[in-house]
Structure formats: structure tokens, C-alpha cells
Amino acid sequence: MDPALLRERELFKKRALSTPAVEKRQAASESGSHKKKKPKVDKESSSGSKHSTESSNGNFNIKASSGYKFGCLAKIVNYMKTRHQNGDTHFLTLDEILDETKLLDISMKQKQWLMTEALVSNPKIEVRDGTYGFKPKYNLKDKKALLRLLDKHDQLGLGGVLLDDVEEGLPNSAKAIKALGDQIIFVTRPDKKKILFYNDKHCQFTVDEEFQKLWRSVPVDSIDEEKIEEYLKKQGISSMQETGPKKVLPVQKRKKQGGQRKRNFKTHNNHLAGVLEDYSDGVPVKK
């Protein structure tokens, strides 16, 4: 055989041994294909999660819309109160109110809700021929109206009037109260709220010292306030009603009556009733 061919054969064998095997490459490619495969996702679980997110978003939107509606209502009521306190007591249409409160971006549904439900049923809003105005507890025009109100409360024994109610219903109330001066008496309650009373100057007189001593000598500590009020009513005198915060009495829990349970004793030999005789007093004498 030609020696040149033999040399080429030997070189071919060396090159074949130096090159990597084909089987190893196939194994590597197979492992790579396994890595590329994506895990299957359960369609039912994914659809359920979508439904849950949609329902949660729906509840959030409902809460957000209801909160926005009542926020608009509160803004309108506060605005109507402020303009009433500043002396603007004329009524406005809903469009004028929305324009002045800058609530022009509300939907027609929310506008219809304000017109037919919210403003009509609100105790602080008065509706008159399709227009709206503020409705205070005491509708006072000027300082004379305030003085008449306090005088009426004093004559009927109703006590004073809260300063908050006066400020709510009287335009420019601070100026009017200052102008009345000593015709009004301020009293501060324990909860730091101020009460206005009518200062009746006809009741300002000096009382004799002997009468004062007699008045103070009568003990009333042991008499209940209800009995005093009942006595005054019998005499035709009306007592002043309390305007302060009412005290809530704690509810007394009823004690459970722990009655003694009757014990039931078992009775024996019921079937021998009328046959057995009682020998506790001795043996009976036969007749």
C-alpha cells in the first residue's frame, strides 16, 4: 500500500479522536429544549383571579363614587351656610350653586341625585320653587330679632340659646352681639360651649339681708330636683329647662336570681304501696 495513503489515514484517525462525540452534543441540546419549555398555567385559576380583581375594582369604584357624592353634598351645605352668615340670604338654583362651588364636572346622575334626594331631604337646606337656601335653627335678620328671641326664651323659662346656633342663623353675628352689649349675658357650660341669656334689667334690685338669711337657711340638699320641680308646678311656677348636655346614666345589669333548685329524690318500692306497714312507733297491736 502507498505510504502516503497510510500517513493520511493515521492523520484522519487522530483528528477523529480529538473532535468531541456527537452524542454529547445531542444531550446538551435536549437539556436546553427542556429548559425552554414553559409550565402550563391553569386556565380556571387565572380566570378566577381575573374575576376577583374585577369585582374588587367594582366595589372600590362604588365606594369612591358614593364618597364623592357625599363630599359634594357637604361642600354645598358648607358653602350655603357661609354665604348665609355673610348676609347673602337669597336663594340660588342648582346650576348657580354648582358654578359657585366649582362642581361643574359632576355627572348628570349625581346632579339628579342632588336635585331629587340629597338637597330636598337635608335638614339644613330649604327648597323654594326649584331654588335652594340655607335653613338655620333660628332665622334671625338682625340684632333686634336676636334680642326678641332671648327675651322670649327668658319669659317662657326655656333658658338660653347656644352661641353656635346664633352664629349659624344671624348674618354678621359678631357685630350684632357686640352692639347689644350688656343686654346679653354669656355663660360657659362645662363642655366649653357658650350660652346666651337675656339680661332682664327689671330683675336687678337689692334684696333685704334678712330675706337673704331666711332664703339661705332653708335646706334643700335632701330634696330631689324632681320633687322641687313638682312643687313649683303645683304652685303655678314653671322651672327653667336645662340646655346642657344630658348625662347618660349607666345601665344597671340585672342580677340573675340564683334560686335553689329542688332536688328530686328517687323513690323505691312504689309497687308495694299499701302493703308495707310502718313500724317506727313500735309493733302495732292486733285487734
Side-chain angles (χ1 to χ4, degrees):
M1 193 171 181
D2 191 359
L5 293 173
L6 291 172
R7 283 195 299 271
E8 287 179 2
R9 182 184 177 189
E10 293 295 329
L11 290 172
F12 176 77
K13 287 182 179 181
K14 289 180 181 180
R15 284 197 301 269
L17 291 172
S18 62
T19 55
V22 179
E23 287 81 1
K24 292 182 180 179
R25 288 184 179 180
Q26 288 179 356
S29 63
E30 287 177 1
S31 62
S33 64
H34 283 300
K35 289 180 181 178
K36 290 180 181 178
K37 289 182 180 179
K38 295 181 180 179
K40 294 182 180 179
V41 181
D42 191 3
K43 292 182 180 180
E44 293 181 358
S45 62
S46 62
S47 62
S49 62
K50 286 182 181 179
H51 286 300
S52 63
T53 52
E54 288 176 359
S55 62
S56 63
N57 290 333
N59 293 332
F60 178 76
N61 291 331
I62 291 170
K63 290 179 181 178
S65 61
S66 62
Y68 179 73
K69 284 197 305 182
F70 286 103
C72 293
L73 176 61
K75 188 174 182 180
I76 290 172
V77 174
N78 289 331
Y79 170 74
M80 299 298 287
K81 177 182 177 181
T82 303
R83 68 184 295 273
H84 182 87
Q85 290 173 338
N86 293 332
D88 298 331
T89 57
H90 61 279
F91 282 53
L92 299 175
T93 62
L94 183 58
D95 293 330
E96 291 173 341
I97 294 172
L98 295 177
D99 186 19
E100 294 189 14
T101 53
K102 298 179 181 180
L103 294 173
L104 297 174
D105 57 341
I106 65 172
S107 62
M108 287 299 298
K109 187 177 181 181
Q110 292 171 346
K111 187 176 179 181
Q112 190 70 18
W113 174 74
L114 288 170
M115 189 181 301
T116 57
E117 296 181 28
L119 294 176
V120 175
S121 60
N122 195 286
K124 291 296 181 182
I125 298 296
E126 183 180 355
V127 184
R128 188 186 298 171
D129 298 331
T131 58
Y132 305 91
F134 185 69
K135 185 180 180 182
K137 185 176 182 179
Y138 304 109
N139 195 2
L140 306 170
K141 295 181 179 180
D142 49 19
K143 60 181 181 181
K144 292 182 179 178
L146 173 60
L147 200 62
R148 286 196 297 270
L149 175 67
L150 295 176
D151 187 15
K152 181 180 178 181
H153 273 241
D154 182 63
Q155 295 294 330
L156 298 176
L158 300 175
V161 178
L162 277 169
L163 179 61
D164 294 340
D165 294 337
V166 174
E167 290 176 343
E168 182 184 76
L170 178 61
N172 304 315
S173 59
K175 189 185 293 185
I177 292 171
K178 186 177 180 180
L180 290 173
D182 61 349
Q183 299 182 60
I184 296 175
I185 299 174
F186 285 90
V187 176
T188 305
R189 289 196 324 200
D191 58 354
K192 296 182 180 180
K193 288 190 176 183
K194 292 185 177 180
I195 312 292
L196 273 66
F197 290 89
Y198 177 70
N199 187 12
D200 192 357
K201 295 183 179 179
H202 296 287
C203 297
Q204 295 178 0
F205 54 89
T206 57
V207 181
D208 192 18
E209 291 184 2
E210 292 184 3
F211 184 78
Q212 293 183 23
K213 290 178 181 178
L214 290 172
W215 176 268
R216 291 167 183 166
S217 64
V218 178
V220 292
D221 296 336
S222 60
I223 304 176
D224 191 8
E225 291 184 1
E226 295 180 358
K227 293 181 179 179
I228 295 174
E229 187 176 357
E230 184 180 353
Y231 175 78
L232 291 174
K233 284 182 180 180
K234 289 180 180 180
Q235 302 300 322
I237 303 171
S238 60
S239 59
M240 186 177 68
Q241 301 297 322
E242 185 180 359
T243 57
K246 295 181 179 179
K247 295 181 180 179
V248 180
L249 297 175
V251 180
Q252 294 180 354
K253 295 182 180 179
R254 293 181 178 179
K255 294 182 179 179
K256 295 181 179 180
Q257 295 180 356
Q260 295 181 355
R261 295 181 180 178
K262 294 182 179 180
R263 296 181 180 179
N264 295 322
F265 296 97
K266 291 182 179 180
T267 56
H268 303 283
N269 301 327
N270 290 329
H271 60 287
L272 298 175
V275 178
L276 297 176
E277 294 182 2
D278 186 10
Y279 291 94
S280 58
D281 296 332
V283 180
V285 179
K286 293 183 180 180
K287 294 182 181 179

